[in-house]
Amino acid sequence: MASEDPLLSGAATCIRDASWIIGWDETAHSHIYLRDGDVAWAGDRLIQVGGRFEGAVETEIDGADRLVMPGLINIHCHPSQTPIFRGFVEEFGNPRLFYSGRQAFRQGFLPDVAAQRASARYGLAEMLAAGTTSIVDLSHTYDGWLDLLAESGLRVWAAPMFRSARWWTDTGQEIHYDWAPDLGEDAFKEAVSLMDEADRHPCGRLASMVSPAQVDTCTADLLVAGARLARETDRPLHVHAAQSYAEFNGMARRNDMTSIAWLHSLGFLGERTVLGHAVFTDAHPWMQWPNHRDVELLAETGTAVAHCPTVFARDGTVLHHLSAYLDAGVRIAIGTDTHPQNLFEEIRMAETLARVAAGTRHTIDTARLFHAATIEAARILGRTDIGRLSAGAKADLVVCDLSEPSARPVRDPLRSLIYGAAERAVRDVWVDGQCVVADHRVLTIDWPAAAEALEQEQARIAGTAPDLELIAPRALPIKR
Ligand SMILES: [Zn+2]
C-alpha cells in the first residue's frame, strides 16, 4: 500500500540545484537569496526550500540558470475590463475631456458579457505568463465568471463590485450621479451569492472579497452593510477611494470632509480593508487641503492601499509619496488596475515614481516593493501560506530563466527582472503544485486564441460607437 508521506511515496517534485532561490527568513520576516539549492513540493505544499532534498523524487527539474521565486500577488485588477480597452485608454487626445476622459470613453465603449469574457480570458493568461499566481479580480458580475477563474488555474479572490449610483459626464468637465439605492441593494444580494459560491468552489483556489465599487457611488448604508458583511464573514473589504481629483472635491462638498475621513466616520477602515488607490488624500499637493490627517488615519486603522501607479502616471498623476506612506506605517500592496497586467513592470513603475515624487533617490528600494507584492498582499488576504517560499507554504512558485539575455548580467536577479527582463524571463509557473505555465506557454488557457477572440470582440464593440474615434484618436492618422 502506498504511503501518504510524500518523502516515502516518491510523490515529490524537485527543482534540483537552482542557481538562485528567493527564500523566506521567518526570524527576520524577510525574503532572502539562497544559492545552489533545491526546491521540493508534494501535492499543493512546499516541503523544502534550499539545501539538498534527500527525499524520494518523482519529477526532477534541472535548476541550472534558474531563479525560483514566490508567485506574485496582484491585489487589484479588472481582467474583464482592461485588456479590451487596449489601444483606446492609454492617452486621451481630446483636450475637452479634462479629468473625465476615461469616463467619457467608457460611456461609449460598453463591453457586454461576451466581450467581458473575452477580455478576462486574455487577462488571466497575461497574468500567469508574467509570473502572477494570485489575484483580486474586481469585476461586475457576469455569467461564467467563476468557472473561467477556476479554469485559469490562478488563485483568485473574486470581488463582485456593487454600487448605488452610476456616474456619467456629458461635457467632459463635470460628473453627474444617477442614484438608485435599489440598484445597490440588488447588486449587493447578487454579490453575496457569488461570494458564497466562490468560497465553496470545488477547485479550492477561489475565495472572495467584499467590494462596494467606489466611495462616491455608494450610499453610506451600502458601505456600512459591506463593512459589516466583511467583518461577520472574515472576508477582506475593498473600495475605490481617493482615486481622482474630481472625487476628492465632490466628496469634500458632499460631506465636508475627505473621502478617507468619511470612510473612517462610517467605521469602514481597518485591518482587513484595502483602498484602491488613496492617491488624492489631503496630503496630495494639488488638493491644497488645510490639514493632513488621511495618511495617519490609514496607518492608525491598519488600512492597506492597493497601489497601482501606471494608470495614474498615464494621467499625469502620482501618489505623494510612497515612502511617506510606508514610513507612516501604511500597508502597501501592488496591483495593475490597467493593462498590461504585469507586476514586474508595475513594481518598476512604483519604485521609479516613488523617487520622482519624493524628489530623492534615497527613498524606496526593491526589497520593500517585492515585499509589498508578496507578503503584504498575502496579509491583506488573510494568508501566511502564499507570497513566500518556505516549507508548509503553498506551492505557488515561478521559475525564471536567467540565461535569457534580457536578464543578464545576473549580479542581482531580482533587479535584473524588475529593471530589465520582467516577464520575458518567466519560464514556468506552478499554482497549488500544478504546472500552469511551461516553457513560456500558458497551459490552462490558449493565450494566442484568446488574443484573437479579444481582438474580434473589441472591434465588434467599437463598431457600435463611432464617436470613439474622436474621444480616443489613434496615435497616428491612417492615410487613406
Ligand atoms: Zn480599479
Side-chain angles (χ1 to χ4, degrees):
M1 196 174 144
S3 166
E4 294 200 348
D5 183 342
L7 296 175
L8 301 174
S9 67
T13 302
C14 178
I15 302 174
R16 190 71 82 187
D17 286 327
S19 302
W20 294 83
I21 301 166
I22 297 182
W24 176 248
D25 182 338
E26 183 61 38
T27 311
H29 196 68
S30 167
H31 292 296
I32 44 165
Y33 284 137
L34 301 171
R35 299 298 316 266
D36 305 317
D38 299 346
V39 176
W41 65 94
D44 62 343
R45 299 277 169 182
L46 292 164
I47 48 181
Q48 185 168 326
V49 177
R52 173 82 188 174
F53 178 64
E54 301 289 0
V57 172
E58 186 177 54
T59 307
E60 185 165 297
I61 299 163
D62 183 5
D65 286 327
R66 300 285 185 261
L67 163 76
V68 187
M69 57 172 265
L72 299 170
I73 302 173
N74 192 334
I75 202 70
H76 184 118
C77 61
H78 307 283
S80 65
Q81 297 175 29
T82 51
I84 202 160
F85 296 154
R86 182 169 291 163
F88 283 100
V89 298
E90 296 84 355
E91 52 191 347
F92 288 99
N94 187 334
R96 279 191 66 239
L97 293 173
F98 191 40
Y99 50 60
S100 48
R102 185 164 285 107
Q103 185 58 20
F105 163 77
R106 290 178 65 169
Q107 282 166 219
F109 191 106
L110 294 170
D112 55 20
V113 172
Q116 282 175 295
R117 269 206 215 111
S119 183
R121 209 171 162 73
Y122 177 95
L124 299 171
E126 180 184 38
M127 286 191 270
L128 282 169
T132 299
T133 54
S134 292
I135 69 168
V136 175
D137 176 355
L138 294 142
S139 288
H140 294 289
T141 307
Y142 59 92
D143 285 345
W145 182 15
L146 295 184
D147 291 339
L148 184 54
L149 296 180
E151 182 194 331
S152 75
L154 279 157
R155 195 177 296 290
V156 186
W157 275 255
M161 293 191 288
F162 50 89
R163 58 185 176 181
S164 331
R166 290 194 185 90
W167 57 294
W168 54 279
T169 178
D170 47 1
T171 62
Q173 310 291 326
E174 194 181 355
I175 288 171
H176 307 281
Y177 296 84
D178 286 337
W179 289 95
D182 287 353
L183 173 84
E185 283 165 28
D186 292 349
F188 184 54
K189 279 186 205 140
E190 195 183 3
V192 169
S193 109
L194 188 125
M195 287 187 280
D196 289 344
E197 209 186 317
D199 292 348
R200 289 195 308 263
H201 198 280
C203 78
R205 285 176 285 97
L206 304 190
S208 58
M209 183 182 273
V210 182
S211 311
Q214 297 99 7
V215 69
D216 52 331
T217 60
C218 293
T219 61
D221 286 350
L222 193 63
L223 289 165
V224 169
R228 190 184 308 121
L229 176 73
R231 260 195 312 276
E232 287 170 1
T233 56
D234 196 28
R235 289 181 172 113
L237 174 67
H238 173 276
V239 70
H240 288 88
Q243 63 165 344
S244 77
Y245 176 82
E247 178 221 295
F248 184 98
N249 286 332
M251 293 300 283
R253 272 197 300 275
R254 218 187 270 175
N255 303 309
D256 195 24
M257 62 179 98
T258 68
S259 298
I260 288 172
W262 187 59
L263 286 172
H264 184 52
S265 75
L266 298 177
F268 194 90
L269 304 183
E271 292 275 341
R272 298 302 302 278
T273 304
V274 54
L275 301 187
H277 305 276
V279 169
F280 289 93
T281 68
D282 54 21
H284 195 287
W286 292 3
M287 307 327 304
Q288 301 283 323
W289 200 251
N291 48 55
H292 295 173
R293 273 280 289 150
D294 282 351
V295 173
E296 223 174 286
L297 275 180
L298 296 178
E300 280 170 16
T301 54
T303 304
V305 170
H307 182 46
C308 310
T310 298
V311 69
F312 290 93
R314 285 183 188 156
D315 283 349
T317 58
V318 61
L319 184 143
H320 280 267
H321 55 79
L322 189 59
S323 30
Y325 282 47
L326 284 164
D327 292 346
V330 180
R331 300 158 59 204
I332 300 282
I334 310 290
T336 51
D337 198 77
T338 188
H339 61 269
Q341 298 173 112
N342 183 321
L343 278 173
F344 289 109
E345 292 189 356
E346 204 66 41
I347 292 170
R348 181 194 308 159
M349 185 70 95
E351 196 160 356
T352 309
L353 287 177
R355 292 184 194 143
V356 172
T360 169
R361 70 171 74 93
H362 307 288
T363 185
I364 195 89
D365 58 61
T366 301
R368 269 178 125 178
L369 283 167
F370 188 70
H371 188 91
T374 51
I375 296 297
E376 196 55 65
R379 193 175 148 211
I380 292 164
L381 298 171
R383 300 286 291 256
T384 54
D385 62 347
I386 58 173
R388 70 186 67 185
L389 296 188
S390 60
K394 287 281 189 184
D396 290 7
L397 51 100
V398 174
V399 176
C400 295
D401 180 359
L402 298 176
S403 69
E404 154 68 35
S406 60
R408 298 177 79 176
V410 191
R411 190 239 161 197
D412 185 323
L414 201 48
R415 287 195 190 131
S416 286
L417 291 172
I418 289 168
Y419 287 103
E423 86 290 357
R424 283 172 291 186
V426 172
R427 191 180 189 280
D428 310 306
V429 180
W430 278 265
V431 180
D432 230 22
Q434 300 293 313
C435 187
V436 288
V437 177
D439 201 11
H440 303 280
R441 194 169 70 85
V442 179
L443 302 180
T444 50
I445 294 172
D446 183 341
W447 194 18
E452 184 68 35
L454 177 66
E455 192 149 345
Q456 286 172 12
E457 287 299 314
Q458 188 192 57
R460 179 175 67 80
I461 303 288
T464 64
D467 286 355
L468 292 179
E469 290 301 325
L470 295 173
I471 294 170
R474 289 169 211 257
L476 301 174
I478 297 175
K479 191 173 179 189
R480 308 274 175 200

